[in-house]
Amino acid sequence: MAEQNNDSVRRAKDAALRKHNPGASRKQLVLWLGALVLGAILGWLGIKPLNDLFNFIATVFTRLFQFIAVPTIALAVITTLASLGGKRETKRIFAHAVTYTLLTTISAAAVGLVLYLWIAPGNLPAEVVGAGAAAVPTDKVGSLSYYDHFLTVIPNNILQPFLAGNVLSVMIIAASVGLALAFMPKTENRAVLLKGLYGIQELLFTLIKAILWALPVGILAFSGQLAAQVQAGVIVGALGKYVAVVLGGNTIQFFIVLPLFLLARGLNPLAVFKKMSPAIAVALFTKSSAGTLPVTLASAEVNLKVNPKVSRFVLPICTTINMNGCAAFILVTSLFVMQNAGFELTLGTMIAWLFIAVLAAIGNAGVPMGCYFLTLSLMSSIGAPIGLMGVILPIYTIIDMIETAENVWSDASVCAMTDHDLKDQLDKEPAVSAS
């Protein structure tokens, strides 16, 4: 009975958390846009002390997001599975999330393949590829074979995945603990443990709200940092057609394909985008889906009013497996590297690599440059010359930013569609029994 009362209190708090003030949201959005523009102008001026300050503030915010992201993922999965357990709700939510994830990820890779065939990037001069070999971080190649990548997902102790920020390992631990709590006897010890977990989760959401309050300062710094890099020539578009394929595919997926998915489920893409824009903005600058998760959760529940049963289960999963931008990058980059290496690229080979890219993206962790190193590992494993990866490296910063924003936009879309599809069914389900 005590557990039922705790669950009722928690539901009431969740409802209070999701109350939406349209005026406050508009004011917040204007403030963030203003910080974005002001940061870009100040960064473009090239004032060194100011740029150093921007770098410091950006590093602080990135560390704060990293600090809070992993425990947020773990607690969201644990408490949701502990509540839902083996109920039909769990299966429905999981089935919808995985279905939409596969559909959107395959469509992103397919868009990239079509653009690659249409734009048809040519080969780079051998001397350019050879020069790029010096820039390849070869220390990552030996330790990142695809076999080893999956093996490292299996944790051998409980602390290491949290210390290393291994999101997939954390998900495995959290899912195991959540399901164990769901099926263990309903004793007083279990109730006390759950109460403590819910308390820590409330504490984390309070910290997230504090970070969101200070976020305009972070956006100002991130925007200034990026503008300074562009002004200094750090980010250059030297690969023409290849860049057009990657960024063009991301743009089509972002502005056309994902909105079409939302429209097909009866949702307004503009409304969903507006309410999830804080998370998309943070993703753009942090270049980490996992690091953005606290903001994605808060935006989904406070702005989009998604049922916490859905958001706290779907979003951590999507952060791990729903990598639209990564799938497109892996496919296009792999084809480009293999083409320059003289591999025969038949249509059948390209389609096979489409599914390899999708599977690789699903297995990739949502961390900065994760897609780059995974692609580097794949190319190394098939014996392709990896010098071209060094040529790509200087422009990967901007690619990574756009990819991550697309990934989080896709996460938000999957969450919104799942919530929309199951809204009536979840509301009609009885509360979790304590017996």
Side-chain angles (χ1 to χ4, degrees):
M1 189 68 186
E3 188 172 339
Q4 284 181 321
N5 291 335
N6 288 337
D7 191 60
S8 298
V9 171
R10 181 169 53 82
R11 289 173 186 272
K13 288 180 178 179
D14 285 336
L17 175 68
R18 290 183 285 144
K19 283 184 179 178
H20 179 53
N21 184 337
S25 293
R26 283 194 292 270
K27 182 179 178 181
Q28 191 179 52
L29 184 61
V30 169
L31 186 61
W32 284 339
L33 289 174
L36 184 68
V37 173
L38 180 60
I41 294 172
L42 292 176
W44 193 261
L45 293 176
I47 304 172
K48 190 178 185 306
L50 190 59
N51 290 340
D52 290 341
L53 178 62
F54 285 154
N55 289 336
F56 173 76
I57 296 173
T59 302
V60 168
F61 270 86
T62 300
R63 284 175 170 265
L64 288 175
F65 286 127
Q66 291 171 339
F67 164 74
I68 206 167
V70 174
T72 299
I73 291 170
L75 285 170
V77 174
I78 290 172
T79 54
T80 302
L81 286 179
S83 171
L84 298 178
K87 292 169 65 70
R88 285 180 297 169
E89 286 182 332
T90 311
K91 297 173 184 175
R92 290 170 182 164
I93 295 171
F94 184 76
H96 278 71
V98 170
T99 300
Y100 286 134
T101 289
L102 288 173
L103 289 174
T104 56
T105 306
I106 291 172
S107 68
V111 168
L113 178 57
V114 170
L115 276 183
Y116 188 88
L117 292 171
W118 179 46
I119 296 178
N123 291 345
L124 294 178
E127 58 271 18
V128 173
V129 178
V136 177
T138 52
D139 58 307
K140 297 282 186 178
V141 178
S143 61
L144 277 178
S145 73
Y146 205 52
Y147 170 80
D148 290 337
H149 173 75
F150 275 104
L151 193 60
T152 57
V153 170
I154 309 301
N156 59 3
N157 68 68
I158 195 168
L159 292 178
Q160 195 275 336
F162 289 89
L163 296 175
N166 190 326
V167 179
L168 289 172
S169 294
V170 169
M171 285 282 291
I172 290 175
I173 294 172
S176 301
V177 173
L179 289 172
L181 284 168
F183 290 105
M184 71 184 291
K186 307 299 189 290
T187 62
E188 183 180 350
N189 289 336
R190 176 184 181 275
V192 170
L193 181 56
L194 278 173
K195 190 173 182 180
L197 290 172
Y198 285 130
I200 297 173
Q201 190 174 50
E202 288 180 23
L203 174 63
L204 283 176
F205 270 87
T206 302
L207 291 174
I208 290 169
K209 286 193 288 185
I211 293 176
L212 287 176
W213 180 82
L215 189 58
V217 178
I219 290 177
L220 178 73
F222 283 125
S223 179
Q225 185 186 51
L226 177 63
Q229 288 177 335
V230 174
Q231 194 270 343
V234 174
I235 301 171
V236 292
L239 299 178
K241 290 186 176 180
Y242 162 79
V243 175
V245 173
V246 174
L247 298 187
N250 286 332
T251 302
I252 292 171
Q253 180 76 4
F254 195 105
F255 291 106
I256 299 176
V257 177
L258 290 174
L260 286 176
F261 271 102
L262 290 168
L263 284 171
R265 303 311 305 147
L267 291 164
N268 183 338
L270 290 177
V272 176
F273 179 83
K274 180 181 177 183
K275 292 171 183 177
M276 294 304 299
S277 58
I280 296 168
V282 171
L284 184 70
F285 293 115
T286 61
K287 296 174 284 189
S288 171
S289 301
T292 307
L293 180 62
V295 185
T296 312
L297 276 168
S299 299
E301 294 179 15
V302 177
N303 298 343
L304 203 55
K305 301 181 182 177
V306 172
N307 189 326
K309 288 181 179 180
V310 174
S311 61
R312 297 180 191 184
F313 186 53
V314 170
L315 288 174
I317 290 174
C318 283
T319 293
T320 310
I321 67 172
N322 188 37
M323 299 285 182
N324 286 194
C326 189
F329 174 81
I330 291 172
L331 176 62
V332 171
T333 305
S334 297
L335 295 179
F336 190 49
V337 171
M338 288 189 290
Q339 172 186 303
N340 276 266
F343 284 67
E344 183 181 1
L345 294 180
T346 64
L347 184 59
T349 301
M350 292 181 178
I351 293 174
W353 270 92
L354 184 150
F355 289 101
I356 291 172
V358 169
L359 291 174
I362 289 173
N364 180 53
V367 296
M369 292 195 71
C371 295
Y372 179 89
F373 289 122
L374 189 50
T375 308
L376 180 63
S377 175
L378 284 170
M379 292 298 94
S380 176
S381 68
I382 64 171
I386 56 175
L388 190 55
M389 296 299 295
V391 181
I392 293 168
L393 187 58
I395 59 172
Y396 186 72
T397 297
I398 192 69
I399 293 173
D400 199 14
M401 291 175 66
I402 294 171
E403 280 179 359
T404 309
E406 180 188 329
N407 290 339
V408 171
W409 173 221
S410 179
D411 295 347
S413 299
V414 170
C415 183
M417 291 187 289
T418 301
D419 182 68
H420 178 268
D421 291 353
L422 301 178
K423 187 179 292 291
D424 294 336
Q425 298 177 45
L426 293 180
D427 289 343
K428 289 176 181 177
E429 291 281 346
V432 177
S433 174
S435 60

